[in-house]
Amino acid sequence: MRRDLPYALSGLTLGALLLGNAAIAPDAAAVGAVDVFLVLAMTVAVAVCRRYPVVALSVVTVTMLALHVRVQPGVAAAFPVLGVVYVAAWRGHRSATAVASLAFLGGFLARDISVAPAGRPGQVIVERTALLLGWFVAANVAGLVARQRRAYLEQVEQRAIEAERTREEMALRRAGEERLRIARDLHDSLTHSISVIKVQAGIAVHLARKHGEEPSATLLAIQEASAAAMRELRTTLDVLRSPADEDRVGLARVDELAERTRAAGVPVHVTVSGPPRELRAEVDEAGYRVVQEALTNVARHAGLATAHIHVEYAPAQLTVSITDDGQASPTRPMTPGVGLRGMRERVTGLGGTLRAAAHDDHGFTVRATFPLDSPA
């Protein structure tokens, strides 16, 4: 109701102006009860024009035309119509404002011509009609401009809100991606090292018992701690460290990885096909992580097995495959773990493909292919 108060006051002011102008105009007729009713109807219509612009425009146009025909208060009868035309155009009712403007101008001109005295020059009528036409054009244009400005401001505000929301979503997504990357890197690096420790401790315990000796308490503690660390690593990571650029891992360090795996008791053979080439950092690291995770799975699950690493450089793609002759077979069900899921996410995120499957007889193969001619 507070937003309608200025319109109600404007309607009362226009009504008082019309009645006063009709009372003092020399060529105006006497104001009767019907004329007062027309002014009151106009006042009510102006008061509600914000809520019902088309209805208000129709009522004001009809009542002011009727008042002009009955009383002839002059151009003051056009003022309420001009105001409501502006409001209706601002609310987006362009067709209604055009029809109302033409109807009022046509009725106003017809009334002036019909009552004009024989000696009155037509130039006066034309000038007054042209003046009203300019006012109505200005009211329509002003309403449209106000509407466009309002739409522009709303669009700017909406863009600001959308930018703020998008910025928050982008920050959350980047944070999630960074957490996922850190989790994969820690799993790939720490799990491999801890697996080597666990395997070496297990071999030492086995050899001690095979020779009839009781393993030392320190060795048993190492074996138990490494097993517990592997279980807890996936859920609790207290210290996060970003490696320096000079410590970045890549396929050039596959030989070091193979040597550490051999030290754990797993024979590893490395083969490189094609001339090594400069790779994108993310592809180079992803290839290394695939080899690392595959060797970790060989040491943990393949039993007495030999691993073969094949790195193939081609002009358009890089292929990394790790094959073992362990205990895996198609008849034994395999449940993909965190390592295989992490490898698949890493490879597919770079546009590559990953295949991990058991052989027809025994053994397991992990084969990752990375495109080299397309961005990540």
Side-chain angles (χ1 to χ4, degrees), residues 4-365:
D4 293 331
L5 183 60
Y7 298 93
L9 295 177
S10 299
L12 291 174
T13 303
L14 289 171
L17 176 64
L18 284 172
L19 294 177
N21 186 67
I24 63 176
D27 55 347
V31 177
V34 176
D35 305 318
V36 174
F37 173 78
L38 292 175
V39 172
L40 290 177
M42 177 274 299
T43 302
V44 174
V46 172
V48 299
C49 67
R50 185 185 68 86
R51 296 176 181 268
Y52 312 103
V54 176
V55 175
L57 182 60
S58 302
V59 172
V60 170
T61 302
V62 172
T63 54
M64 291 301 97
L65 275 177
L67 185 67
H68 181 63
V69 170
R70 288 177 55 82
V71 180
Q72 199 175 4
V75 295
F79 294 162
V81 184
L82 288 170
V84 181
V85 162
Y86 170 83
V87 174
W90 171 56
R91 297 297 298 273
H93 304 285
R94 291 182 293 182
S95 300
T97 57
V99 171
S101 301
L102 293 175
F104 184 83
L105 287 172
F108 196 93
L109 178 62
R111 168 61 179 171
D112 282 357
I113 294 175
S114 64
V115 299
R120 187 176 182 182
Q123 181 181 358
V124 176
I125 298 176
V126 172
E127 288 178 353
R128 188 161 72 166
T129 304
L131 178 63
L132 286 178
L133 176 62
W135 286 356
F136 274 96
V137 171
N140 280 272
V141 172
L144 294 177
V145 171
R147 177 174 178 80
Q148 291 179 354
R149 176 174 174 78
R150 177 187 177 187
Y152 172 76
L153 293 177
E154 290 178 352
Q155 187 177 18
V156 170
E157 183 179 0
Q158 186 63 30
R159 285 179 179 177
I161 296 174
E162 183 68 18
E164 183 68 22
R165 184 183 63 81
T166 304
R167 183 165 57 249
E168 294 176 357
E169 291 180 355
M170 184 67 68
L172 291 175
R173 190 183 70 176
R174 288 179 178 175
E177 292 174 350
E178 184 66 13
R179 286 196 298 269
L180 182 60
R181 185 191 67 80
I182 292 173
R184 282 201 302 258
D185 289 347
L186 286 172
H187 175 270
D188 292 342
S189 59
L190 297 185
T191 303
H192 174 76
S193 300
I194 295 174
S195 295
V196 172
I197 295 173
K198 180 184 176 183
V199 170
Q200 289 178 334
I203 292 174
V205 170
H206 173 72
L207 292 177
R209 288 174 176 169
K210 183 177 181 180
H211 291 87
E213 301 175 0
E214 184 63 25
S216 65
T218 302
L219 191 59
L220 293 175
I222 293 174
Q223 185 182 31
E224 182 179 356
S226 61
M230 290 186 61
R231 291 192 302 268
E232 297 175 0
L233 179 62
R234 295 185 176 92
T235 56
T236 305
L237 299 172
D238 295 330
V239 180
L240 304 180
R241 182 181 66 86
S242 298
D245 291 339
E246 59 271 14
D247 295 334
R248 185 182 300 276
V249 295
L251 291 175
R253 301 179 62 177
V254 167
D255 289 333
E256 300 177 12
L257 190 62
E259 189 61 33
R260 290 201 301 268
T261 307
R262 293 189 193 102
V266 179
V268 179
H269 302 284
V270 180
T271 304
V272 178
S273 301
R277 55 182 293 186
E278 189 71 22
L279 302 174
R280 298 198 313 269
E282 57 270 18
V283 174
D284 197 16
E285 182 179 358
Y288 176 89
R289 296 302 186 189
V290 168
V291 175
Q292 184 182 57
E293 179 62 30
L295 291 181
T296 300
N297 290 337
V298 171
R300 293 174 59 188
H301 305 298
L304 299 176
T306 300
H308 298 270
I309 303 173
H310 186 197
V311 181
E312 180 181 359
Y313 293 91
Q317 69 179 20
L318 168 72
T319 302
V320 178
S321 61
I322 303 90
T323 305
D324 67 79
D325 54 0
Q327 302 174 357
S329 67
T331 59
R332 299 179 60 183
M334 182 193 69
T335 303
V338 177
L340 283 178
R341 288 198 299 269
M343 280 194 291
R344 193 174 303 280
E345 291 172 357
R346 187 187 295 273
V347 174
T348 56
L350 295 172
T353 57
L354 179 76
R355 180 181 180 274
H359 301 165
D360 292 336
D361 46 7
H362 285 287
F364 199 83
T365 295

